[in-house]
Amino acid sequence: MSTAHLGTDTSTSSIGAVKGTMYGGQNPVSGAAVYLLEANATAYAGPGITASTANASKSLLTAASNTTADSNGRYYVTTDAGGGFSLTGDYTCDANQVVYLYTLGGNSGAAVNPAIGMMSVLGVCPASGGTLAAVTPYVWVNEVTTVAAAYALSGFATDATHIGYSGSAAGLVGLQNAAANFKNLVNVGTGVVNQTTPGSVTGIGNIGTVPYQKINTLANILVACVNTASSNSSACSTLFSNAQSAGSSGTIPTDTATAAINIAHNPGSNTSALYGLQTGVGTAFLPHLTAAPNDFALPVSYTGGGLNGGFMTVVDATGNVWVSNYFGNSLSKFSPQGVVASLVGSRAVV
């Protein structure tokens, strides 16, 4: 995979025609508001940073025949009875910036639930001559994509509508690399968790193993709230009280996407209580964990790169990961998405 885009291009590019589907577990979500957002390029958001107008994500949809404005003046499209939605080619994004979808509310079969919040990442807006639709023409939005987006973007996210960086070149590289790692965790076109990273090559030791059972468990935890009839349901109340901004304290989330971001920020908090929410959701996402984990961190395990007793790790300015090997007097190099520079080695977690 390539590394992040660099540069300070101030041009805009067309989004292109993008279609998608939103599901809660195995049920389509109808009547949900679908927002097209771009990460803020002037102010950081992230763990411990207060949400404000200064670091709010930029809304990209505008007034059109199929859009509606909310009370804050942000436009959205609405999912149909089958959970489907369409974005026309009439909208633009800022070159090199990260674009994502955020959905709010809707009915997954029980009743309209304003606590339903989901996310999926479209990618990096092309610099010129291209469209996001050329890279991501179809996007699935469900609890798995929400978990993947929450964890991938968590370093830059205060909540689902406040994701941003300072505008520096280094900040842009970090955010772009974070967005690229979203697709390491999930197939955006199907909403199914990846078991290995897309750059993996079996048989020659170049494999990234994704903690797919843990991701499915986190998705099932969100399903417990999503597929209820009210934001005040027992499942939603349990989720939100155990997924506050500081884990067991701080700001209480009001939607499942922000709850997922808070869990990513505090992976060791309230694991048993959160795991217990999976019990009532049946087989929404399988396979899943069969016991509560020690934490909900999501490390990806990589094989290759000549790793041989790795003991020191550094990250360079473009996000490449370098590991010193105790044996062999060598260095192993991984791209920001975990692709190795050589095809032999032993197992390590990066």
Side-chain angles (χ1 to χ4, degrees):
M1 297 182 186
S2 62
T3 57
H5 299 283
L6 300 175
T8 56
D9 192 339
T10 58
S11 63
T12 59
S13 295
S14 173
I15 298 292
V18 176
K19 293 184 180 297
T21 300
M22 179 183 174
Y23 261 55
Q26 302 303 312
N27 302 325
V29 180
S30 62
V34 180
Y35 295 89
L36 181 66
L37 302 178
E38 183 178 280
N40 187 299
T42 60
Y44 270 112
I49 300 176
T50 301
S52 68
T53 56
N55 60 14
S57 300
K58 179 181 179 180
S59 181
L60 298 180
L61 297 184
T62 57
S65 60
N66 67 330
T67 63
T68 304
D70 66 13
S71 59
N72 295 311
R74 299 177 304 183
Y75 287 88
Y76 61 87
V77 298
T78 305
T79 58
D80 62 24
F85 60 90
S86 296
L87 304 176
T88 68
D90 300 330
Y91 311 110
T92 61
C93 52
D94 295 300
N96 298 319
Q97 303 303 324
V98 170
V99 179
Y100 68 101
L101 292 175
Y102 168 61
T103 66
L104 185 63
N107 186 339
S108 65
V112 173
N113 184 351
I116 299 174
M118 304 240 199
M119 298 171 68
S120 199
V121 179
L122 289 182
V124 175
C125 183
S128 62
T131 66
L132 267 177
V135 178
T136 311
Y138 193 88
V139 57
W140 199 271
V141 185
N142 64 7
E143 291 86 352
V144 174
T145 67
T146 302
V147 170
Y151 274 74
L153 300 177
S154 61
F156 299 88
T158 295
D159 57 38
T161 60
H162 292 81
I163 298 176
Y165 73 104
S166 66
S168 68
L172 176 60
V173 168
L175 181 59
Q176 289 174 339
N177 287 339
N181 277 304
F182 165 79
K183 292 185 178 180
N184 267 356
L185 302 178
V186 66
N187 184 319
V188 69
T190 65
V192 176
V193 66
N194 292 330
Q195 295 195 15
T196 58
T197 59
S200 296
V201 181
T202 58
I204 56 176
N206 180 12
I207 301 172
T209 302
V210 177
Y212 58 93
Q213 292 175 313
K214 190 179 282 189
I215 292 174
N216 281 340
T217 296
L218 285 163
N220 288 334
I221 288 168
L222 301 186
V223 172
C225 172
V226 167
N227 286 351
T228 59
S230 167
S231 58
N232 295 319
S233 67
S234 174
C236 290
S237 296
T238 299
L239 172 63
F240 296 156
S241 64
N242 287 285
Q244 299 178 51
S245 60
S248 298
S249 62
T251 303
I252 298 175
T254 58
D255 69 89
T256 52
T258 297
I261 291 170
N262 289 346
I263 295 170
H265 289 165
N266 307 281
S269 296
N270 307 318
T271 54
S272 294
L274 291 169
Y275 176 82
L277 289 169
Q278 180 176 241
T279 305
V281 303
T283 57
F285 296 106
L286 292 170
H288 56 64
L289 298 177
T290 57
N294 291 326
D295 59 65
F296 279 115
L298 297 181
V300 178
S301 177
Y302 292 102
T303 299
L307 288 166
N308 194 357
F311 68 101
M312 291 183 66
T313 301
V314 297
V315 181
D316 65 25
T318 59
N320 295 308
V321 179
W322 297 79
V323 183
S324 299
N325 293 304
Y326 185 81
F327 302 102
N329 296 320
S330 64
L331 291 172
S332 297
K333 179 182 178 182
F334 295 81
S335 81
Q337 286 72 56
V339 178
V340 298
S342 63
L343 301 179
V344 294
S346 58
R347 190 172 182 81
V349 174
V350 180

